[in-house]
Amino acid sequence: MKLKFLALLFFSIYFVSVKAQESEIRKLNAYENVIVPVQFDSAKQENEYLLSSLTRHLLKQHGFNVFMDNETLPIAAQQDPCLNLRASVLTQGGMFAFTTEVTLVFYDCRNQIVYKAQGSSREKKFDKAHQEALRDAFDKFAGYRYTYKPLQLDKQHKTRLQEKQSIKKQFANQYNWEGKQYQLQKIEVGYLLLDAEGNRKAVITENSDKLYFFNSADINGSLKIDTNQDLIVEYFNMQTGKQKKIILTAISQ
């Protein structure tokens, strides 16, 4: 009788754990694309141990829309970076370690972690060990198939959003940033930040919660507008590991 009780308890704990894992993975369904870096932050060279190409391959096996970060994204993904997830593979283990460990992480456009999974390997050869550990992390996806399902808002939430001030009334037309002058160009999902020659330097977008985001070649962060219409951009610097802030000063007309 005691053995039956223990077996039932073990099965219940396992079932709850599996369901919780499935719920976490399905958060990925809210994003349209996954972007995989050619060189991960912890890597010393491009596609080290073939982890970038293997990540792309394994994601595609589960039905994701996958792009390497040196590929051209669809227009919608360029205009609204918050449609995309960024995949990262963090590695641990070295010459004298008995186990190689990797962590597969998915970040949203605000550098917030949406989902992560860990894997490990006792293989001695570096390349095989890292690949085996990554496959072990992807074992958490067993039985999961990606299906794009954008988040839906209830009527009450939508009504509150409609009552908020329009983005058009909050932005100035021109800004000064690091001694150079820039102007805003309206697009469907927000604004383009253009330099004096008309070159695109950044995209300012707005999500369903009226939160603003600033995305350029080097900066991906959140954006706030102060009472002077200055733009305050806060972002996480991957190289220094610190939170940074820049300010674009509104130019009075």
Side-chain angles (χ1 to χ4, degrees):
M1 187 71 178
K2 186 176 180 180
L3 289 175
K4 288 184 178 180
F5 173 76
L6 291 175
L8 180 61
L9 179 62
F10 174 79
F11 177 78
S12 299
I13 294 174
Y14 175 77
F15 180 78
V16 171
S17 176
V18 169
K19 287 298 180 182
Q21 181 73 21
E22 289 179 354
S23 177
E24 287 296 306
I25 293 176
R26 294 192 183 282
K27 290 180 180 179
L28 304 177
N29 289 343
Y31 301 87
E32 193 166 358
N33 311 291
V34 179
I35 300 173
V36 177
V38 174
Q39 181 174 344
F40 292 118
D41 294 334
S42 61
K44 296 179 180 178
Q45 60 186 22
E46 291 187 1
N47 204 18
E48 188 173 36
Y49 306 126
L50 300 180
L51 290 184
S52 293
S53 55
L54 180 58
T55 300
R56 180 179 186 273
H57 170 71
L58 294 174
L59 285 171
K60 280 187 169 292
Q61 281 192 331
H62 288 279
F64 288 94
N65 301 316
V66 189
F67 296 89
M68 304 303 291
D69 63 355
N70 61 355
E71 293 183 292
T72 302
L73 295 174
I75 297 299
Q78 293 181 41
Q79 294 179 339
D80 186 359
C82 291
L83 292 174
N84 311 317
L85 284 172
R86 176 172 55 85
S88 181
V89 174
L90 310 176
T91 62
Q92 288 183 326
M95 185 177 298
F96 302 105
F98 293 104
T99 303
T100 297
E101 298 179 348
V102 306
T103 303
L104 173 66
V105 189
F106 295 89
Y107 296 94
D108 63 14
C109 62
R110 293 172 289 177
N111 286 318
Q112 300 297 310
I113 295 176
V114 177
Y115 176 77
K116 66 179 180 179
Q118 294 180 316
S120 62
S121 170
R122 287 185 167 274
E123 171 65 44
K124 294 181 179 179
K125 294 183 178 180
F126 278 3
D127 54 349
K128 290 185 178 180
H130 285 81
Q131 293 167 23
E132 188 175 275
L134 181 58
R135 289 183 182 275
D136 184 46
F138 268 97
D139 282 347
K140 309 296 190 303
F141 287 70
Y144 167 74
R145 184 75 180 175
Y146 165 79
T147 304
Y148 180 46
K149 294 181 180 179
L151 296 175
Q152 299 295 321
L153 301 176
D154 56 45
K155 288 185 178 180
Q156 185 178 5
H157 194 181
K158 287 181 178 179
T159 301
R160 289 200 302 268
L161 295 181
Q162 291 170 354
E163 291 173 351
K164 291 186 178 181
Q165 188 176 11
S166 169
I167 187 173
K168 294 180 181 178
K169 298 178 182 180
Q170 294 179 323
F171 284 96
N173 292 324
Q174 294 183 323
Y175 287 89
N176 186 287
W177 180 22
E178 295 183 339
K180 296 182 180 180
Q181 189 168 318
Y182 297 86
Q183 62 180 356
L184 295 181
Q185 177 180 311
K186 186 71 180 73
I187 57 175
E188 184 176 355
V189 296
Y191 289 88
L192 295 178
L193 183 70
L194 307 177
D195 64 14
E197 288 74 38
N199 300 312
R200 186 174 72 178
K201 292 300 180 180
V203 181
I204 297 172
T205 56
E206 173 190 19
N207 71 4
S208 58
D209 291 320
K210 294 293 182 182
L211 298 175
Y212 308 140
F213 304 100
F214 183 96
N215 298 93
S216 69
D218 303 314
I219 297 173
N220 295 294
S222 60
L223 181 147
K224 294 180 181 179
I225 308 168
D226 68 11
T227 55
N228 297 319
Q229 292 185 302
D230 294 343
L231 305 183
I232 303 172
V233 180
E234 295 183 347
Y235 67 101
F236 183 77
N237 189 304
M238 299 295 292
Q239 294 181 341
T240 63
K242 295 181 180 180
Q243 196 76 9
K244 295 287 187 179
K245 180 170 69 175
I246 63 171
I247 298 177
L248 288 76
T249 307
I251 299 175
S252 300
Q253 299 297 307

